[in-house]
Amino acid sequence: MKKVFAGVRLKRLREERGLTQLALAQALEVSPSYLNQIEKNLRPLTVQVLLKINAVFGVDVQLFSEGDEARMVADLREVFADPANGDSVSVSEIREVVENMPALGRAVVALHRRYRNALERADAMAGELGLGSGGEATFRALMPHEQVRDFFYAHHNHFSELDEAAERIFETADLKVGQVAEGLARRLDRRHGVRIQLSNDMAGQAQRRYDPKERRLHLSALLDPGQRAFQIATQIGFLEMEEAIGRLAEEAAAGAAEVHALARIGLANHFAAALLMPYRTFLDAAEAERYDIDRLARRFGVGFESVCHRLSSLQRPGAPGVPFFFVRVDRAGNISKRQSATDFHFSRVGGTCPLWNVYEAFAQPGRILTQTAQMPDGRTYLWIARTVNDAVGGYGDIGKTFSIGLGCDIRHASRLVYSKGLDLGDPSAATPIGAGCKVCERSNCPQRAFPPIGKPLAIDERMHGFVPYNAV
């Protein structure tokens, strides 16, 4: 058994009971000097002393357990991981608080939870009032990646300058649809003097690394042809679209260095997708194939996720495609990517809806699932979801598995091959979903995980219903 040093907790218990050290020592049948050393953490609590404490005070010995300490350490690490707190706090400092000032630790955790709840309430109320960009809340400071997402949202996930430049380069470089890697490598060499080197030592570490001094672009040997072409196109974007990318990134950042850096990467990636899938050529193919993602992926030599991402950006004035929204989630429900060419409201608070088919896709890996889904405001959407895998390294190495979701308003659904066999005109056939339990106003959802924020609960101890957290 690990030695338990819990002197501060024992001292606090003694003072709460109004006992002197001498009185407690007599009750525990130990010497006053021994008790003094325990309270100063010079001696550990023994099993015998713990049993005596239980007999004298009737308290659970779990008050002094390692498990209780571990839980509080985890809670405090979550508190101090919040970037809003400023200075970082080390694990050793947290353990010092937990071991010597547990009441202070509990108070900090409680205060932080009240603070987070207040922010969530403010965010939810702001969303209800339509405040913020795209109806999203702005009361808490946004993380840099969230600011970049909002910037792309404000531009409807379309940047004409980058798209048009990509089309011109595709034509002048004499590239062929679905076979662009070789032509892009040739342009990188002839125009910029940059050679490509495939590197086995980058496996599992980086897909692309550019060395400006050596004029060499290192690419992981694990990349497939489509991924390789995308990374080359990204580098061409940084080299040839520096002025446009820099200007747009400045607009996104408003002086924030991290936002500026992330925006540059996002814009270069947008350009790369446009170069592999040039706007007019890709839009014509999408319409001809009725937006069949697998067929488009084979034609353009890219992956399922890349096609979905590109489809969400086809909003050129005068020549728009279907206005899609794109989302990438993991098994834990975290949204790691989201792009929207329209007004679908992704929630920042309360998580996402478990009835959404993007989560069902994990149970049927590799299979495309379709769903007509209706939001609480009555708007109905067609959603397509499928898992994608990105294995890196060999046996035992952790890979990446995500669910990709692509959705559009139901009025566009007939243009998609995925509407085949669906009754698009029957509202009752749609699955009722919401933006997230904490902000969803549906009162009859048996899948609800949290009560709605800002609404009183109807609590009746005489009845247990099928729907948790009924609101008044």
Side-chain angles (χ1 to χ4, degrees), residues 227-279:
Q227 293 171 322
R228 192 179 307 162
F230 183 86
Q231 295 303 329
I232 299 171
T234 299
Q235 192 59 53
I236 289 175
F238 280 125
L239 294 171
E240 299 192 23
M241 301 301 298
E242 173 61 34
E243 182 182 350
I245 288 176
R247 180 169 18 87
L248 288 167
E250 287 289 345
E251 178 188 337
E258 285 186 340
V259 177
H260 186 271
L262 287 175
R264 281 179 55 84
I265 294 171
L267 290 163
N269 288 342
H270 181 95
F271 170 83
L275 188 50
L276 270 59
M277 295 166 276
Y279 194 99

Side-chain angles (χ1 to χ4, degrees), residues 134-186:
E136 293 184 296
T138 56
F139 282 87
R140 67 176 173 86
L142 297 180
M143 298 286 285
H145 70 281
E146 292 175 320
Q147 295 182 53
V148 173
R149 285 177 181 174
D150 282 358
F151 172 71
F152 273 75
Y153 181 89
H155 284 264
H156 301 286
N157 197 27
H158 178 75
F159 301 91
S160 295
E161 186 175 2
L162 300 181
D163 269 284
E164 291 167 5
E167 281 185 305
R168 289 193 300 270
I169 292 173
F170 191 92
E171 293 176 4
T172 58
D174 196 25
L175 301 178
K176 296 181 180 180
V177 168
Q179 302 175 32
V180 298
E182 185 177 333
L184 292 176
R186 191 165 52 246

Side-chain angles (χ1 to χ4, degrees), residues 249-407:
E250 287 289 345
E251 178 188 337
E258 285 186 340
V259 177
H260 186 271
L262 287 175
R264 281 179 55 84
I265 294 171
L267 290 163
N269 288 342
H270 181 95
F271 170 83
L275 188 50
L276 270 59
M277 295 166 276
Y279 194 99
R280 175 55 71 178
T281 302
F282 185 75
L283 176 58
D284 289 345
E287 290 285 351
E289 298 287 1
R290 294 192 63 200
Y291 292 87
D292 189 310
I293 299 167
D294 286 324
R295 286 181 177 273
L296 291 171
R298 286 193 294 270
R299 180 182 292 198
F300 288 87
V302 294
F304 186 91
E305 180 179 344
S306 296
V307 171
C308 291
H309 200 285
R310 182 59 172 149
L311 286 173
S312 72
S313 66
L314 301 180
Q315 292 302 296
R316 176 177 290 178
V322 170
F324 285 107
F325 16 84
F326 163 88
V327 64
R328 188 181 76 178
V329 304
D330 63 21
R331 291 179 184 275
N334 302 304
I335 297 178
S336 54
K337 280 187 182 180
R338 67 179 185 205
Q339 300 289 354
S340 181
T342 182
D343 58 357
F344 185 79
H345 35 293
F346 295 104
S347 175
R348 275 207 183 99
V349 295
T352 50
C353 182
L355 300 178
W356 201 6
N357 71 338
V358 291
Y359 299 113
E360 169 112 13
F362 287 112
Q364 302 182 57
R367 181 181 175 186
I368 292 180
L369 305 182
T370 60
Q371 178 188 48
T372 54
Q374 188 176 78
M375 297 297 287
D377 60 8
R379 289 183 293 178
T380 305
Y381 304 90
L382 173 63
W383 274 100
I384 303 139
R386 203 201 83 176
T387 56
V388 295
N389 298 286
D390 188 3
V392 178
Y395 177 77
D397 292 337
I398 297 176
K400 296 187 292 185
T401 301
F402 297 103
S403 176
I404 303 299
L406 190 72

